[in-house]
Amino acid sequence: MSQQPAMTRRTALKSTPALYTSALLGAAAKAPPNVLIVLTDDQGYGDLSCHGNPVLRTPHLDRLCAESVRFTQFHVAPMCTPTRSQLMSGVDCLRNGAMATACGRSQLRSELPALADAFSAHGYQTGIFGKWHLGYSYPFRPMDRGFREANYFLGYGITGAGDFWNNDYFDPRYYRNGEPRRAKGYCNEVWFDLAMQWMDQCRGRRQPFFAYLPTNIPHFPEWVADRYREVYEGKGPAQYFGMVANLDWNVARLDAFLRRTGLRDNTIVMFMPDNGGVTGVKLFNAGMRGGKTSLYDGGHRVPCFVRWPAGNLAQGRDIAVQTQVQDVFPTLLDLCGVAKPANAAFDGASLAPLLRSSPDGLADRMFVVQFYQNSLEKGRAAVIWNDWRLINMRELYNSRDDPGQQTDVSEAHPEIVARMRAYYERWWAGVETRVNDLVPSHAGSVQQDPALLCCSEWENVRADGQTSVREAVGGARGGPWNVLVERPGNYTVELRRWPMDANLALSAGTPEFRAVEGTLPAGKALPIASAHLAIAGQSLPIAVNREAKSAGFDVALPAGRTRLHGWFSDSAGNGLCGAYFAYVSRSRKG
């Protein structure tokens, strides 16, 4: 493991009333700082006017930038789930299990302590408001990972495969602590409203809080009200820029709330996107090469702003040291005086000394950016070392002299290439034993029954989104789920083409979904005549009525790991598609 040297931390604090005394955190603060992380979805480095965008206007984010310490060489993963898993664990995604947005690789290993776990154990109130994307069922839901208040939706976002069927950005459905809810208004405003209401409740109770506000914009589908879009018509990607404009307006509301309630000074605000840009990069990408999914800087170098007035962090200061999202966990522990979990082993390092202008920096640092996208190959990575970038173990760029990464200088610097390759080899040796040890979904747990299995978690088969379900992607049989059966007994496995809340027959199609500001395509009808279940050494075909909404199987299962594979066939036995959803329940008599 490429772990940084252990950092000296304050004495572990217990969650007692003494937490609120100044002695615990030193004379610099009379109360422990609150923490608020705003994580945007698919907003690139160039999608801010303060970074030079010639069209997009983001005055309120620009002001936050001006009031913050700015990490100008901050790196995440080139896709959202890996970034989120690294943020929540401080561990590289190939090690923590959640290395992809789908393909059975988007659940964070439950044995790793999570960021909210650490703050909750330390007496903080913890809340999430928006996108989770680190698991569907127990023990991978946000309330299983330390969030006492969990307002979230499933999958990559609204219209994801695991999300409520035909959900919309306007008046969206979501979960509160596992229970379905419906909100009024635009989704992004809903998440900000819920977060502000909760933070105000914590303030009223004099409780420090850790708030995680991961928006689902400007991720596709690019649905936004006309008043935001119309400003950019004919000037650029109007829908996308309109979503960023809505985000900027909500940041203004958030800052006004923090000022009005007196929370602003002692709240650490961190702002960052989850990967490089998408739609906006065609117009402006701050001189970088690549966007989302790319190993060039445009795929993973993003803004990171940190503001904490009571912490005496210098406003408007740039830090150009190479940093990464894995650094956030140990950094926040240091800034807030929260004890490092006993079993935590971070791949990141604390940035607290840099934030406090300490001469103790992170000189001569090297780390790896790698994730899973449809396959996982040794060497398909970016190695970062100060100004150097080694891409796919072949191309070498100097990001200071060549920020657009246009000139490969590997032949001129073979010694640099050799040193970075050697680092990668050591790093890979530390992760390769578990890269294909997929994190299984759980069935038979007391905490959640039935368990939901969604096609996004098919092993190494991508079917991620309601459009994938509608168009029946994933091949003739889809893919298997990795499952951990917690308790032996009799189980019912219900296979479905459509999710339960769609209330559609297995063989039925479905019309185009017309949302307030967009559409999803019509869903294919299929001549389904039989269903097949393979699990724990059992192969079970059954005939199904074309009007049936599900195919149910009663099976006896031992405890332990297994694979569950379900698919549908026509009357001749030809596979048509995988079972996109499975609901696994343990019999009360089992």
Side-chain angles (χ1 to χ4, degrees), residues 525-536:
L526 296 174
I528 291 173
S530 63
H532 305 258
L533 173 68
I535 186 170

Side-chain angles (χ1 to χ4, degrees), residues 430-451:
V431 302
E432 67 174 331
T433 57
R434 298 201 75 184
V435 292
N436 290 313
D437 176 19
L438 274 62
V439 180
S441 299
H442 287 223
S445 68
V446 175
Q447 292 83 354
Q448 187 178 15
D449 191 47

Side-chain angles (χ1 to χ4, degrees), residues 289-547:
R289 178 177 177 178
K292 180 178 179 178
T293 75
S294 171
L295 291 170
Y296 299 103
D297 270 15
H300 49 83
R301 179 181 163 228
V302 300
C304 180
F305 307 149
V306 183
R307 186 185 72 188
W308 182 22
N312 297 317
L313 305 184
Q315 294 188 11
R317 180 164 60 97
D318 289 339
I319 297 176
V321 174
Q322 304 298 331
T323 52
Q324 59 179 341
V325 68
Q326 291 92 312
D327 300 332
V328 172
F329 197 151
T331 299
L332 289 176
L333 296 185
D334 278 357
L335 293 178
C336 299
V338 172
K340 178 182 177 181
N343 58 335
F346 298 131
D347 290 320
S350 175
L351 305 179
L354 293 174
L355 287 165
R356 292 172 172 145
S357 303
S358 168
D360 299 325
L362 296 171
D364 206 35
R365 186 182 200 195
M366 203 179 300
F367 55 82
V368 176
V369 173
Q370 187 167 5
F371 70 113
Y372 179 101
Q373 187 191 13
N374 302 322
S375 65
L376 185 65
E377 303 169 20
K378 180 182 177 182
R380 187 181 177 274
V383 183
I384 295 172
W385 181 27
N386 301 328
D387 294 326
W388 297 107
R389 307 287 189 270
L390 182 64
I391 309 297
N392 294 326
M393 302 301 110
R394 299 186 304 273
E395 305 167 39
L396 182 69
Y397 301 94
N398 186 300
S399 64
R400 182 189 64 243
D401 300 336
D402 178 23
Q405 296 173 292
Q406 298 298 310
T407 304
D408 179 0
V409 295
S410 57
E411 292 186 4
H413 298 280
E415 75 288 354
I416 298 295
V417 173
R419 186 167 176 181
M420 296 178 79
R421 283 177 177 171
Y423 177 86
Y424 178 82
E425 289 290 339
R426 294 191 300 272
W427 178 85
W428 179 261
V431 302
E432 67 174 331
T433 57
R434 298 201 75 184
V435 292
N436 290 313
D437 176 19
L438 274 62
V439 180
S441 299
H442 287 223
S445 68
V446 175
Q447 292 83 354
Q448 187 178 15
D449 191 47
L452 165 65
L453 305 180
C454 172
C455 57
S456 295
E457 289 302 316
W458 283 346
E459 179 179 343
N460 297 339
V461 178
R462 183 172 292 278
D464 191 19
Q466 291 182 19
T467 296
S468 296
V469 178
R470 288 167 173 269
E471 296 179 348
V473 305
R477 293 190 175 189
W481 287 285
N482 284 272
V483 176
L484 174 65
V485 179
E486 290 196 0
R487 298 177 291 161
N490 297 318
Y491 285 78
T492 297
V493 179
E494 187 178 351
L495 301 181
R496 288 180 174 257
R497 158 82 195 282
W498 309 102
M500 192 178 294
D501 61 324
N503 197 32
L504 294 169
L506 289 170
S507 58
T510 186
E512 175 185 80
F513 170 57
R514 296 186 178 182
V516 171
E517 291 291 340
T519 62
L520 293 179
K524 293 181 180 179
L526 296 174
I528 291 173
S530 63
H532 305 258
L533 173 68
I535 186 170
Q538 305 172 67
S539 181
L540 306 168
I542 60 170
V544 296
N545 185 296
R546 61 174 296 138
E547 301 302 321

